[in-house]
Amino acid sequence: MSIKNGNVRWAFDLRSWRCTLPDLELATSCVQPEERERLSKFHFIDDFKASIIGRLLMRQFIKSCLPELDYNEIRFERDERGKPFFVPATDIRDKIDFNMDFNVSHHERYAVLAGWFGKNSKEHNGRQQHVGVDVMKLEYTGGGKALHEFFRLMDRTFTSNEWKFIKSRNGDQNQTAAFMRHWSLKESYVKNIGVGITIDLQSIDFQLSTDNLFTNKIVRDTVVKVGGKPLNNWLFEESLLDNEHCVGVAVKNPSPEYLELSENELIFEVIDFERLMHDAKPLLNIDPMYCQMVLNKKLKKTV
Ligand code: COA
Ligand code: MG
């Protein structure tokens, strides 16, 4: 699990995780009590798995950045809009002067984390790097509604320029892919600033220069206007995790170390459960009844 110049792009393939009882016992003893409680409320096991893996990605990210920290002492809180942040114990803050930001997303087959960790430096003029990430399956399910009808209902989500790009694609499949690509860009932006989808999405106008995304290739030439003004000091990374999932990362105030990275170094690294839990140390006791309750949850569909 690599950190490149302080930057992390990790993806977890939920479909290939078997989620055995021992896996579940370990996973559910490595989250904070209030999160274990929150996770129990998911109706479907798919949503439970996606969300708990997101939490474990966050823990592993902190542990990888701050190896001197005990895994079971890592603690997160959520801000008023639900965005998780790390709460460092004061003795760590006293020892290391650092900044960090991270964000998690999950959809269908993948849970992903984009993160940044850097020692505080005056060279940044106090401008800290921030990240937001969003993964989307390139699929329209629609419940029998035709795609153009769905687009009509979603009209206010995108600008006329964005719709022009989406609707100029050839056929429903390519239009769906372009829609999802714009969606993940927009969400990566709103998740970066932490507001979620509570702001006017038509005030954000993405301009794409590259027609198609590919696996193992990062596109970084997309730009955005917000409120009609080009946003400086922002970069957007886009790629496919596989042929069915796209991922967008919004980077605000990219650090000099980030700017040194080649596009290849920003390709998402797929990690499995063993690597995710490497050096994990339980915070809570195993709760066999809780694990059984999770295993009894329904599957949404074959995941
Ligand atoms: N900003 C950034 N990241 C957030 C966030 C926020 N406001 N809230 C939660 N997250 C993180 C969490 O890690 C979350 O994982 P969890 O649900 O397992 O805890 C993860 O992002 C979810 O991201 P994703 O999988 O991409 O979910 P989504 O596509 O459903 O979108 C939001 C998530 C945050 C964009 C969406 O739920 C939203 O807009 N919410 C509105 C937030 C808000 O303002 N609420 C009002 C509170 S009263
Ligand atoms: Mg999302």
Side-chain angles (χ1 to χ4, degrees), residues 66-78:
L66 296 166
E68 51 278 81
L69 204 64
D70 271 344
Y71 186 93
N72 55 3
E73 283 174 11
I74 298 170
R75 205 166 63 81
F76 300 96
E77 282 179 16
R78 289 180 189 262

Side-chain angles (χ1 to χ4, degrees), residues 7-255:
N7 293 272
V8 157
R9 302 288 180 267
W10 291 338
F12 186 97
D13 180 351
L14 296 159
R15 197 182 294 169
S16 56
W17 179 33
R18 286 180 54 231
C19 191
T20 59
L21 182 60
D23 283 3
L24 198 56
E25 287 175 346
L26 178 60
T28 56
S29 54
C30 288
V31 287
Q32 290 166 214
E34 72 278 15
E35 288 295 322
R36 186 145 94 174
E37 172 66 20
R38 181 187 66 88
L39 289 159
S40 71
K41 302 205 170 88
F42 281 113
H43 184 69
F44 293 110
I45 193 165
D46 321 42
D47 295 327
F48 175 94
K49 282 168 67 179
S51 195
I52 197 168
I53 291 296
R55 298 297 297 185
L56 297 168
L57 283 165
M58 284 162 39
R59 299 194 76 78
Q60 189 53 253
F61 171 65
I62 304 296
K63 179 67 186 159
S64 304
C65 295
L66 296 166
E68 51 278 81
L69 204 64
D70 271 344
Y71 186 93
N72 55 3
E73 283 174 11
I74 298 170
R75 205 166 63 81
F76 300 96
E77 282 179 16
R78 289 180 189 262
D79 71 12
E80 68 282 5
R81 292 191 186 274
K83 187 174 187 175
F85 63 92
F86 171 54
V87 186
T90 36
D91 56 335
I92 277 282
R93 268 273 171 221
D94 292 345
K95 270 190 250 159
I96 313 164
D97 192 13
F98 64 90
N99 265 318
M100 64 160 61
D101 195 28
F102 59 85
N103 196 219
V104 160
S105 178
H106 34 72
H107 195 228
E108 291 288 332
R109 187 170 180 153
Y110 289 97
V112 297
L113 177 140
W116 168 76
F117 175 84
K119 297 271 159 63
N120 254 338
S121 149
K122 291 199 174 67
E123 288 156 41
H124 294 181
N125 300 324
R127 283 186 317 193
Q128 192 192 319
Q129 185 168 312
H130 285 282
V131 288
V133 66
D134 196 60
V135 60
M136 285 302 290
K137 186 167 184 189
L138 306 173
E139 173 191 53
Y140 173 64
T141 45
K145 201 177 271 130
L147 188 65
H148 65 85
E149 180 62 13
F150 171 68
F151 282 176
R152 201 180 57 77
L153 292 172
M154 300 300 286
D155 187 49
R156 295 177 65 171
T157 310
F158 297 122
T159 64
S160 55
N161 158 59
E162 292 171 331
W163 279 121
K164 199 169 151 205
F165 184 100
I166 295 166
K167 291 180 183 171
S168 69
R169 305 293 98 187
N170 209 351
D172 279 9
Q173 207 178 334
N174 290 325
Q175 291 196 10
T176 300
F179 177 95
M180 296 306 171
R181 182 177 168 191
H182 278 83
W183 186 271
S184 81
L185 278 167
K186 226 163 248 210
E187 271 217 0
S188 71
Y189 172 76
V190 294
K191 291 183 71 189
N192 181 307
I193 58 175
V195 294
I197 43 178
T198 56
I199 55 170
D200 172 16
L201 294 174
Q202 279 186 329
S203 65
I204 311 161
D205 183 21
F206 280 96
Q207 284 175 314
L208 280 53
S209 302
T210 302
D211 278 352
N212 296 306
L213 300 180
F214 297 95
T215 49
N216 295 322
K217 186 178 179 331
I218 304 291
V219 165
R220 255 199 312 191
D221 56 7
T222 290
V223 292
V224 69
K225 284 185 184 163
V226 175
K229 291 197 188 111
L231 274 195
N232 299 319
N233 288 323
W234 282 77
L235 282 170
F236 294 88
E237 300 160 21
E238 299 173 82
S239 61
L240 296 184
L241 294 175
D242 62 19
N243 286 336
E244 295 185 317
H245 297 80
C246 72
V247 62
V249 183
V251 181
K252 181 185 175 189
N253 296 333
S255 66

